[in-house]
Amino acid sequence: MEPWMNKHVEQCLQKLHEKGFEAYLIGGAVRDHLLGLEPKDFDITTNASPEQIEACFQKTTRINERFQTVLVYQSNRQIEVSTFKGDTLLDDVEARDFTINSLAYSHEEGVIDLVNGTTDLSNHCIRSYRPDATMQSDPLRIFRAARFISTFGFEVEEATLQACQTYANGLRSVAKERIVTEWIGLLKGRYKQKAFSFLEAIRLEEVLPFFTLSPFVYHVFKSNKSISWDSDVRALTEYCLIAGTVDVLTALPFSNQIKKQVKQLYRLYHNRLNQHWTNWTLYQAGLSSAIEVEKIREDREMECETTENIKSRFRELPIQSKSDLQLTGKDLIEVENKKPGPWVKRALEQLEKAVIERVVPNEQDALIHYYKRESE
């Protein structure tokens, strides 16, 4: 087995071969291996039908009827196995999005390059074998081109670029759930300046206005130094800060958790422009969010507090979360003999602030006494 090959993928290929089928590793894993990167996504293409694939393995799930893809479970690994797009491997690779993703591999033949994908890899070129048909059949591939530009820093070949420009309007009909994945990948890439030049060339601001791609946004990203952000939340926050709005969070189906975190960082960053962290604002923000805001400031070459300093200050706070408070909402209700309501939340926040600012010790009797006194 090749050292870069996942053993579960190897077993999957072997099983298909034993059953008399052609089977090849295809796409991103081969590309990444040739680029000297650690392959992550291992996909297999075969001349077996979905039904025949399912018959070869104990546990499978049909996940894509259109592309005839079956998810095969090998131990803890999930491997996507798809039937050829066409009758042969040649038909399959010619139907794929870009030549750099059309490279196949087998133990017997090694890397199989039927569309000059290795040459395009060497030339750092993103090229489609049939540009017009490729972009017209699935316009999301235009966004995929942008993501690959951002990830690898490659250039788009002229005929492929023209096809992207011609069929960019088709992005309006692409499901937003599919766009989200490509958009996040683009924002997390190291070569965003090239990717945004590409987006400007296809006039994405006219096709999908909810991205709020103003001339200013294009300018900032095109002139930005090469920097990558490792988390979805950080990448989205940076984009919203440059765009000057969080509207994109409403336009695209991000998870509620991501929306909440991005909106919080967006607000905290703007608050931090006007003031340093007080004990209370640091407590309200939480350790991880405060650190993230300072990292955003550091990347913008603004005055910032070090991570160690933020951690040290947070450790010294009398409490780190509401659960540390020695008085609960239930305690308050019993002490006041009142029905639950919004007053409980307000009272607890008042007590949290008093403890953080060391106005009162975090002791139940002291907290009750303080609350009664302040409520008079």
Side-chain angles (χ1 to χ4, degrees):
M1 183 177 75
E2 294 286 346
W4 58 275
M5 178 78 78
N6 180 279
K7 68 176 183 179
H8 301 302
V9 176
E10 174 74 19
Q11 293 167 358
C12 192
L13 287 167
Q14 184 176 348
K15 174 67 73 172
L16 288 164
H17 289 152
E18 289 174 355
K19 295 295 183 178
F21 299 110
E22 294 179 58
Y24 306 89
L25 188 63
I26 191 81
V30 184
R31 177 200 66 218
D32 290 347
H33 165 62
L34 293 176
L35 288 172
L37 305 173
E38 181 181 356
K40 295 179 181 178
D41 298 321
F42 291 87
D43 298 327
I44 291 174
T45 187
T46 176
N47 65 340
S49 68
E51 293 76 16
Q52 291 170 324
I53 296 170
E54 291 168 337
C56 290
F57 302 96
Q58 289 185 340
K59 188 177 180 182
T60 63
T61 303
R62 192 85 64 93
I63 61 172
N64 193 317
E65 292 293 342
R66 177 186 174 191
F67 294 110
Q68 297 184 295
T69 301
V70 176
L71 199 62
V72 174
Y73 298 87
Q74 293 282 89
S75 296
N76 294 325
R77 186 84 188 192
Q78 298 178 1
I79 305 162
E80 289 191 13
V81 182
S82 300
T83 302
F84 283 165
K85 299 173 176 64
D87 297 324
T88 66
L89 177 62
L90 177 60
D91 293 333
D92 185 90
V93 299
E94 288 181 350
R96 291 181 177 267
D97 54 4
F98 306 110
T99 58
I100 61 173
N101 297 329
S102 302
L103 299 165
Y105 177 88
S106 73
H107 280 310
E108 296 73 23
E109 301 175 71
V111 174
I112 303 168
D113 182 5
L114 303 175
V115 289
N116 292 325
T118 52
T119 300
D120 289 332
L121 272 183
S122 298
N123 293 334
H124 294 180
C125 175
I126 295 174
R127 178 175 66 89
S128 178
Y129 184 74
R130 294 170 177 157
D132 290 296
T134 296
M135 303 309 159
Q136 187 176 23
S137 65
D138 186 1
L140 183 71
R141 289 166 169 171
I142 299 169
F143 242 123
R144 284 174 61 81
R147 175 166 65 85
F148 289 131
I149 294 169
S150 186
T151 301
F152 301 120
F154 290 4
E155 303 288 343
V156 179
E157 177 259 349
E158 185 60 32
T160 302
L161 175 59
Q162 290 178 4
C164 290
Q165 292 169 325
T166 300
Y167 297 102
N169 283 334
L171 285 167
R172 292 191 176 102
S173 62
V174 174
K176 289 182 178 179
E177 288 80 4
R178 299 179 69 206
I179 290 176
V180 163
T181 302
E182 304 301 332
W183 181 245
I184 292 292
L186 183 158
L187 292 178
K188 291 167 72 174
R190 183 169 292 277
Y191 302 97
K192 286 179 285 293
Q193 67 272 46
K194 287 187 174 183
F196 275 84
S197 292
F198 170 79
L199 296 181
E200 188 174 36
I202 66 171
R203 298 184 178 181
L204 187 68
E205 72 281 2
E206 298 177 9
V207 178
L208 300 177
F210 57 76
F211 279 119
T212 59
L213 285 165
S214 65
F216 174 76
V217 172
Y218 279 128
H219 171 74
V220 171
F221 276 104
K222 286 163 56 181
S223 59
N224 215 354
K225 62 182 180 180
S226 294
I227 185 170
S228 59
W229 302 310
D230 57 359
S231 76
D232 295 0
V233 169
R234 175 66 183 277
L236 281 169
T237 301
E238 294 278 5
Y239 181 77
C240 289
L241 288 172
I242 292 170
T245 177
V246 292
D247 287 352
V248 71
L249 298 177
T250 304
L252 291 174
F254 299 105
S255 70
N256 289 332
Q257 182 180 9
I258 285 180
K259 289 179 181 179
K260 181 179 178 180
Q261 290 176 313
V262 172
K263 288 178 180 178
Q264 181 191 34
L265 286 177
Y266 185 88
R267 174 178 52 80
L268 290 173
Y269 173 84
H270 284 287
N271 290 345
R272 179 68 173 85
L273 292 175
N274 302 314
Q275 62 178 352
H276 290 279
W277 296 107
T278 65
N279 285 349
W280 177 237
T281 58
L282 179 60
Y283 171 80
Q284 285 182 305
L287 179 61
S288 61
S289 293
I291 290 173
E292 200 67 22
V293 168
E294 294 306 303
K295 287 180 178 178
I296 293 172
R297 290 175 63 86
E298 182 180 13
D299 284 348
R300 285 164 166 71
E301 299 181 351
M302 302 167 70
E303 171 273 326
C304 62
E305 290 195 43
T306 65
T307 296
E308 284 307 312
N309 190 50
I310 291 289
K311 286 182 177 179
S312 176
R313 289 186 57 189
F314 198 81
R315 281 195 300 267
E316 292 172 2
L317 294 176
I319 58 174
Q320 278 78 47
S321 69
K322 185 180 294 185
S323 62
D324 295 333
L325 197 66
Q326 294 300 305
L327 191 69
T328 66
K330 184 178 179 181
D331 296 331
L332 269 177
I333 291 169
E334 291 178 357
V335 167
E336 290 295 295
N337 193 26
K338 292 168 63 176
K339 293 181 179 180
W343 70 272
V344 177
K345 181 179 180 181
R346 291 194 299 268
L348 289 174
E349 185 171 298
Q350 179 186 3
L351 292 171
E352 287 175 273
K353 188 173 183 180
V355 170
I356 289 294
E357 295 179 344
R358 293 183 167 81
V359 174
V360 60
N362 186 29
E363 300 169 0
Q364 189 176 73
D365 289 344
L367 290 169
I368 292 173
H369 177 74
Y370 175 81
Y371 178 73
K372 283 182 172 293
R373 188 184 71 201
E374 292 298 309
S375 300
E376 292 177 354

